[in-house]
Short mmCIF file of all heavy atoms in Angstrom, two decimals:
data_model
loop_
_atom_site.label_atom_id
_atom_site.label_comp_id
_atom_site.label_asym_id
_atom_site.label_seq_id
_atom_site.Cartn_x
_atom_site.Cartn_y
_atom_site.Cartn_z
N THR A 1 15.49 -93.45 -38.57
CA THR A 1 14.62 -92.55 -39.31
C THR A 1 13.17 -92.67 -38.87
O THR A 1 12.42 -91.71 -38.95
CB THR A 1 14.72 -92.82 -40.82
OG1 THR A 1 14.37 -94.18 -41.07
CG2 THR A 1 16.09 -92.50 -41.34
N SER A 2 12.72 -93.82 -38.42
CA SER A 2 11.33 -93.99 -38.02
C SER A 2 11.09 -93.60 -36.56
O SER A 2 9.95 -93.44 -36.15
CB SER A 2 10.87 -95.43 -38.24
OG SER A 2 11.57 -96.29 -37.37
N GLN A 3 12.13 -93.43 -35.78
CA GLN A 3 11.97 -93.12 -34.36
C GLN A 3 11.34 -91.77 -34.11
O GLN A 3 10.42 -91.67 -33.29
CB GLN A 3 13.32 -93.24 -33.66
CG GLN A 3 13.21 -93.34 -32.17
CD GLN A 3 14.57 -93.65 -31.54
OE1 GLN A 3 15.60 -93.48 -32.17
NE2 GLN A 3 14.56 -94.11 -30.32
N PRO A 4 11.73 -90.67 -34.75
CA PRO A 4 11.08 -89.38 -34.48
C PRO A 4 9.59 -89.40 -34.85
O PRO A 4 8.78 -88.77 -34.18
CB PRO A 4 11.85 -88.39 -35.35
CG PRO A 4 13.17 -89.02 -35.59
CD PRO A 4 12.92 -90.49 -35.60
N VAL A 5 9.23 -90.11 -35.88
CA VAL A 5 7.82 -90.20 -36.27
C VAL A 5 7.03 -90.90 -35.18
O VAL A 5 5.93 -90.47 -34.81
CB VAL A 5 7.69 -90.94 -37.62
CG1 VAL A 5 6.23 -91.16 -37.96
CG2 VAL A 5 8.40 -90.18 -38.71
N ALA A 6 7.57 -91.98 -34.64
CA ALA A 6 6.88 -92.72 -33.59
C ALA A 6 6.74 -91.88 -32.32
O ALA A 6 5.70 -91.92 -31.66
CB ALA A 6 7.62 -94.01 -33.28
N LEU A 7 7.77 -91.10 -32.00
CA LEU A 7 7.69 -90.25 -30.80
C LEU A 7 6.65 -89.16 -30.98
O LEU A 7 5.90 -88.85 -30.05
CB LEU A 7 9.06 -89.63 -30.50
CG LEU A 7 10.12 -90.58 -29.97
CD1 LEU A 7 11.45 -89.85 -29.83
CD2 LEU A 7 9.69 -91.16 -28.65
N GLY A 8 6.59 -88.57 -32.16
CA GLY A 8 5.58 -87.54 -32.42
C GLY A 8 4.18 -88.10 -32.34
O GLY A 8 3.25 -87.48 -31.81
N ARG A 9 3.98 -89.30 -32.86
CA ARG A 9 2.68 -89.95 -32.82
C ARG A 9 2.29 -90.28 -31.37
O ARG A 9 1.14 -90.10 -30.98
CB ARG A 9 2.71 -91.23 -33.66
CG ARG A 9 1.36 -91.84 -33.87
CD ARG A 9 1.42 -93.07 -34.75
NE ARG A 9 2.10 -92.79 -36.01
CZ ARG A 9 2.85 -93.68 -36.65
NH1 ARG A 9 3.03 -94.88 -36.14
NH2 ARG A 9 3.43 -93.37 -37.78
N ALA A 10 3.25 -90.73 -30.57
CA ALA A 10 2.97 -91.06 -29.17
C ALA A 10 2.58 -89.82 -28.39
O ALA A 10 1.67 -89.86 -27.56
CB ALA A 10 4.18 -91.73 -28.54
N LYS A 11 3.25 -88.70 -28.65
CA LYS A 11 2.90 -87.46 -27.95
C LYS A 11 1.49 -87.01 -28.31
O LYS A 11 0.74 -86.55 -27.45
CB LYS A 11 3.90 -86.36 -28.30
CG LYS A 11 5.23 -86.51 -27.63
CD LYS A 11 6.16 -85.38 -28.00
CE LYS A 11 7.53 -85.57 -27.39
NZ LYS A 11 8.45 -84.47 -27.75
N GLY A 12 1.12 -87.15 -29.57
CA GLY A 12 -0.23 -86.79 -29.99
C GLY A 12 -1.29 -87.64 -29.33
O GLY A 12 -2.34 -87.14 -28.91
N ILE A 13 -1.03 -88.92 -29.20
CA ILE A 13 -1.99 -89.82 -28.55
C ILE A 13 -2.13 -89.46 -27.08
O ILE A 13 -3.24 -89.44 -26.54
CB ILE A 13 -1.55 -91.29 -28.74
CG1 ILE A 13 -1.69 -91.69 -30.20
CG2 ILE A 13 -2.36 -92.21 -27.85
CD1 ILE A 13 -1.12 -93.04 -30.52
N LEU A 14 -1.02 -89.18 -26.40
CA LEU A 14 -1.09 -88.82 -24.99
C LEU A 14 -1.85 -87.52 -24.78
O LEU A 14 -2.64 -87.40 -23.84
CB LEU A 14 0.32 -88.71 -24.40
CG LEU A 14 1.04 -90.03 -24.13
CD1 LEU A 14 2.45 -89.77 -23.67
CD2 LEU A 14 0.28 -90.84 -23.11
N GLN A 15 -1.64 -86.54 -25.65
CA GLN A 15 -2.37 -85.29 -25.52
C GLN A 15 -3.85 -85.50 -25.75
O GLN A 15 -4.69 -84.89 -25.10
CB GLN A 15 -1.81 -84.25 -26.49
CG GLN A 15 -0.47 -83.72 -26.08
CD GLN A 15 0.12 -82.78 -27.12
OE1 GLN A 15 -0.40 -82.65 -28.21
NE2 GLN A 15 1.22 -82.13 -26.76
N GLU A 16 -4.19 -86.37 -26.69
CA GLU A 16 -5.60 -86.66 -26.97
C GLU A 16 -6.25 -87.35 -25.78
O GLU A 16 -7.38 -87.04 -25.43
CB GLU A 16 -5.70 -87.56 -28.20
CG GLU A 16 -7.10 -87.81 -28.66
CD GLU A 16 -7.11 -88.66 -29.91
OE1 GLU A 16 -6.34 -88.37 -30.83
OE2 GLU A 16 -7.89 -89.62 -29.94
N ARG A 17 -5.54 -88.25 -25.13
CA ARG A 17 -6.09 -88.93 -23.96
C ARG A 17 -6.28 -87.97 -22.80
O ARG A 17 -7.24 -88.06 -22.06
CB ARG A 17 -5.20 -90.09 -23.53
CG ARG A 17 -5.36 -91.30 -24.38
CD ARG A 17 -4.68 -92.47 -23.74
NE ARG A 17 -4.86 -93.65 -24.56
CZ ARG A 17 -4.36 -94.81 -24.27
NH1 ARG A 17 -3.63 -94.95 -23.19
NH2 ARG A 17 -4.56 -95.84 -25.04
N ARG A 18 -5.34 -87.09 -22.62
CA ARG A 18 -5.43 -86.13 -21.52
C ARG A 18 -6.63 -85.21 -21.69
O ARG A 18 -7.25 -84.80 -20.72
CB ARG A 18 -4.16 -85.29 -21.44
CG ARG A 18 -2.99 -86.03 -20.89
CD ARG A 18 -1.78 -85.13 -20.80
NE ARG A 18 -0.58 -85.90 -20.50
CZ ARG A 18 0.64 -85.53 -20.80
NH1 ARG A 18 0.84 -84.38 -21.43
NH2 ARG A 18 1.66 -86.27 -20.50
N SER A 19 -6.98 -84.89 -22.90
CA SER A 19 -8.10 -83.99 -23.13
C SER A 19 -9.43 -84.66 -22.82
O SER A 19 -10.43 -83.98 -22.62
CB SER A 19 -8.08 -83.48 -24.57
OG SER A 19 -8.32 -84.54 -25.47
N SER A 20 -9.49 -85.99 -22.78
CA SER A 20 -10.75 -86.67 -22.50
C SER A 20 -10.90 -87.04 -21.02
O SER A 20 -11.90 -87.63 -20.64
CB SER A 20 -10.87 -87.93 -23.35
OG SER A 20 -9.87 -88.85 -22.97
N ILE A 21 -9.92 -86.72 -20.19
CA ILE A 21 -10.00 -87.01 -18.76
C ILE A 21 -10.57 -85.79 -18.04
O ILE A 21 -10.09 -84.68 -18.20
CB ILE A 21 -8.61 -87.37 -18.19
CG1 ILE A 21 -8.09 -88.64 -18.87
CG2 ILE A 21 -8.67 -87.55 -16.68
CD1 ILE A 21 -6.69 -89.00 -18.48
N TYR A 22 -11.60 -86.03 -17.25
CA TYR A 22 -12.26 -84.95 -16.52
C TYR A 22 -11.91 -85.04 -15.04
O TYR A 22 -11.83 -86.12 -14.48
CB TYR A 22 -13.78 -85.03 -16.68
CG TYR A 22 -14.22 -84.93 -18.12
CD1 TYR A 22 -14.66 -86.05 -18.80
CD2 TYR A 22 -14.18 -83.73 -18.79
CE1 TYR A 22 -15.06 -85.98 -20.12
CE2 TYR A 22 -14.57 -83.64 -20.11
CZ TYR A 22 -15.00 -84.76 -20.77
OH TYR A 22 -15.39 -84.68 -22.07
N SER A 23 -11.74 -83.91 -14.40
CA SER A 23 -11.41 -83.89 -12.98
C SER A 23 -12.58 -83.42 -12.14
O SER A 23 -12.40 -83.09 -10.98
CB SER A 23 -10.19 -82.99 -12.75
OG SER A 23 -10.49 -81.66 -13.12
N LYS A 24 -13.75 -83.36 -12.73
CA LYS A 24 -14.93 -82.91 -11.99
C LYS A 24 -15.67 -84.12 -11.42
O LYS A 24 -15.53 -85.23 -11.90
CB LYS A 24 -15.86 -82.16 -12.93
CG LYS A 24 -15.24 -80.91 -13.51
CD LYS A 24 -16.19 -80.24 -14.47
CE LYS A 24 -15.54 -79.02 -15.11
NZ LYS A 24 -16.41 -78.40 -16.10
N PRO A 25 -16.49 -83.91 -10.39
CA PRO A 25 -17.31 -85.01 -9.89
C PRO A 25 -18.35 -85.41 -10.93
O PRO A 25 -18.68 -84.63 -11.82
CB PRO A 25 -17.96 -84.43 -8.63
CG PRO A 25 -17.80 -82.97 -8.72
CD PRO A 25 -16.65 -82.69 -9.61
N PRO A 26 -18.88 -86.62 -10.84
CA PRO A 26 -19.85 -87.07 -11.83
C PRO A 26 -21.14 -86.24 -11.79
O PRO A 26 -21.55 -85.76 -10.74
CB PRO A 26 -20.12 -88.53 -11.44
CG PRO A 26 -19.71 -88.64 -10.02
CD PRO A 26 -18.62 -87.63 -9.81
N LYS A 27 -21.77 -86.10 -12.94
CA LYS A 27 -23.02 -85.34 -13.02
C LYS A 27 -24.17 -86.12 -12.39
O LYS A 27 -25.00 -85.58 -11.69
CB LYS A 27 -23.35 -85.02 -14.47
CG LYS A 27 -22.38 -84.06 -15.09
CD LYS A 27 -22.73 -83.78 -16.53
CE LYS A 27 -21.71 -82.86 -17.15
NZ LYS A 27 -21.98 -82.61 -18.57
N ASN A 28 -24.22 -87.42 -12.67
CA ASN A 28 -25.28 -88.28 -12.13
C ASN A 28 -24.65 -89.31 -11.20
O ASN A 28 -23.79 -90.07 -11.63
CB ASN A 28 -26.02 -89.00 -13.26
CG ASN A 28 -26.63 -88.03 -14.24
OD1 ASN A 28 -27.08 -86.96 -13.85
ND2 ASN A 28 -26.63 -88.39 -15.51
N LYS A 29 -25.08 -89.33 -9.97
CA LYS A 29 -24.54 -90.30 -9.03
C LYS A 29 -25.26 -91.63 -9.20
O LYS A 29 -26.47 -91.68 -9.41
CB LYS A 29 -24.68 -89.80 -7.60
CG LYS A 29 -23.83 -88.58 -7.32
CD LYS A 29 -23.73 -88.29 -5.86
CE LYS A 29 -22.77 -87.13 -5.67
NZ LYS A 29 -22.46 -86.91 -4.29
N ILE A 30 -24.51 -92.71 -9.07
CA ILE A 30 -25.06 -94.05 -9.18
C ILE A 30 -25.22 -94.59 -7.77
O ILE A 30 -24.29 -94.54 -6.96
CB ILE A 30 -24.13 -94.96 -10.00
CG1 ILE A 30 -24.02 -94.43 -11.42
CG2 ILE A 30 -24.64 -96.38 -10.01
CD1 ILE A 30 -23.07 -95.19 -12.28
N GLY A 31 -26.40 -95.11 -7.48
CA GLY A 31 -26.68 -95.63 -6.15
C GLY A 31 -26.05 -96.99 -5.91
O GLY A 31 -25.51 -97.63 -6.82
N ALA A 32 -26.17 -97.45 -4.68
CA ALA A 32 -25.60 -98.75 -4.31
C ALA A 32 -26.31 -99.89 -5.03
O ALA A 32 -25.68 -100.87 -5.45
CB ALA A 32 -25.68 -98.94 -2.80
N GLY A 33 -27.62 -99.77 -5.20
CA GLY A 33 -28.38 -100.82 -5.89
C GLY A 33 -27.98 -100.95 -7.35
O GLY A 33 -27.82 -102.07 -7.86
N GLN A 34 -27.81 -99.83 -8.02
CA GLN A 34 -27.39 -99.87 -9.41
C GLN A 34 -25.97 -100.42 -9.54
O GLN A 34 -25.68 -101.20 -10.45
CB GLN A 34 -27.45 -98.47 -10.02
CG GLN A 34 -28.86 -97.98 -10.27
CD GLN A 34 -28.86 -96.55 -10.80
OE1 GLN A 34 -27.97 -95.77 -10.47
NE2 GLN A 34 -29.87 -96.22 -11.58
N SER A 35 -25.10 -100.03 -8.64
CA SER A 35 -23.72 -100.55 -8.67
C SER A 35 -23.71 -102.06 -8.46
O SER A 35 -23.00 -102.78 -9.17
CB SER A 35 -22.88 -99.89 -7.59
OG SER A 35 -22.74 -98.53 -7.83
N PHE A 36 -24.50 -102.54 -7.50
CA PHE A 36 -24.56 -103.97 -7.26
C PHE A 36 -25.10 -104.71 -8.47
O PHE A 36 -24.58 -105.76 -8.86
CB PHE A 36 -25.43 -104.26 -6.02
CG PHE A 36 -25.58 -105.72 -5.73
CD1 PHE A 36 -24.55 -106.43 -5.17
CD2 PHE A 36 -26.76 -106.38 -6.04
CE1 PHE A 36 -24.67 -107.78 -4.91
CE2 PHE A 36 -26.90 -107.72 -5.80
CZ PHE A 36 -25.85 -108.43 -5.22
N PHE A 37 -26.14 -104.18 -9.10
CA PHE A 37 -26.73 -104.82 -10.27
C PHE A 37 -25.73 -104.88 -11.42
O PHE A 37 -25.55 -105.93 -12.04
CB PHE A 37 -27.99 -104.06 -10.71
CG PHE A 37 -28.59 -104.59 -11.97
CD1 PHE A 37 -29.29 -105.78 -11.96
CD2 PHE A 37 -28.44 -103.91 -13.16
CE1 PHE A 37 -29.83 -106.29 -13.13
CE2 PHE A 37 -28.98 -104.40 -14.33
CZ PHE A 37 -29.69 -105.59 -14.32
N ILE A 38 -25.05 -103.78 -11.68
CA ILE A 38 -24.08 -103.74 -12.78
C ILE A 38 -22.93 -104.71 -12.52
O ILE A 38 -22.51 -105.45 -13.42
CB ILE A 38 -23.57 -102.30 -12.98
CG1 ILE A 38 -24.70 -101.43 -13.51
CG2 ILE A 38 -22.37 -102.26 -13.91
CD1 ILE A 38 -24.40 -99.96 -13.50
N MET A 39 -22.44 -104.74 -11.29
CA MET A 39 -21.33 -105.63 -10.98
C MET A 39 -21.75 -107.10 -11.05
O MET A 39 -20.98 -107.96 -11.48
CB MET A 39 -20.74 -105.29 -9.61
CG MET A 39 -20.02 -103.94 -9.63
SD MET A 39 -19.36 -103.46 -8.05
CE MET A 39 -18.02 -104.62 -7.88
N SER A 40 -22.98 -107.40 -10.64
CA SER A 40 -23.43 -108.79 -10.70
C SER A 40 -23.65 -109.24 -12.14
O SER A 40 -23.34 -110.38 -12.50
CB SER A 40 -24.71 -108.98 -9.87
OG SER A 40 -25.75 -108.18 -10.39
N VAL A 41 -24.17 -108.36 -13.00
CA VAL A 41 -24.32 -108.70 -14.42
C VAL A 41 -22.95 -108.93 -15.04
O VAL A 41 -22.76 -109.89 -15.82
CB VAL A 41 -25.11 -107.60 -15.16
CG1 VAL A 41 -25.02 -107.78 -16.66
CG2 VAL A 41 -26.55 -107.58 -14.71
N PHE A 42 -21.99 -108.09 -14.73
CA PHE A 42 -20.64 -108.26 -15.26
C PHE A 42 -20.03 -109.58 -14.78
O PHE A 42 -19.41 -110.31 -15.57
CB PHE A 42 -19.78 -107.08 -14.84
CG PHE A 42 -18.38 -107.14 -15.37
CD1 PHE A 42 -18.12 -106.89 -16.70
CD2 PHE A 42 -17.33 -107.45 -14.53
CE1 PHE A 42 -16.82 -106.95 -17.19
CE2 PHE A 42 -16.04 -107.51 -15.01
CZ PHE A 42 -15.78 -107.26 -16.34
N ALA A 43 -20.21 -109.89 -13.51
CA ALA A 43 -19.65 -111.14 -12.97
C ALA A 43 -20.30 -112.35 -13.64
O ALA A 43 -19.61 -113.32 -13.98
CB ALA A 43 -19.86 -111.20 -11.46
N MET A 44 -21.61 -112.29 -13.86
CA MET A 44 -22.30 -113.40 -14.52
C MET A 44 -21.80 -113.55 -15.96
O MET A 44 -21.61 -114.67 -16.44
CB MET A 44 -23.81 -113.17 -14.51
CG MET A 44 -24.42 -113.19 -13.13
SD MET A 44 -24.30 -114.79 -12.36
CE MET A 44 -25.73 -115.55 -13.07
#
């Protein structure tokens, strides 16, 4: 009895995730310096 409810909920979550994925290129490009800084802060 709980299986159809779980399947319906899973389909809703997948559709919600798909709607937040964009296939366009980024609006603002991040340079190499910014990428290096962000990665080094994360590593630290």
Side-chain angles (χ1 to χ4, degrees):
T1 58
S2 66
Q3 197 172 18
V5 175
L7 288 175
R9 190 177 307 146
K11 286 181 183 179
I13 291 172
L14 285 175
Q15 287 175 351
E16 186 178 314
R17 282 192 179 178
R18 286 181 190 156
S19 66
S20 65
I21 297 175
Y22 301 105
S23 63
K24 298 178 183 176
K27 293 179 182 177
N28 302 325
K29 293 194 176 189
I30 297 176
Q34 288 176 330
S35 295
F36 178 75
F37 176 75
I38 291 169
M39 291 178 71
S40 62
V41 168
F42 181 73
M44 294 295 276

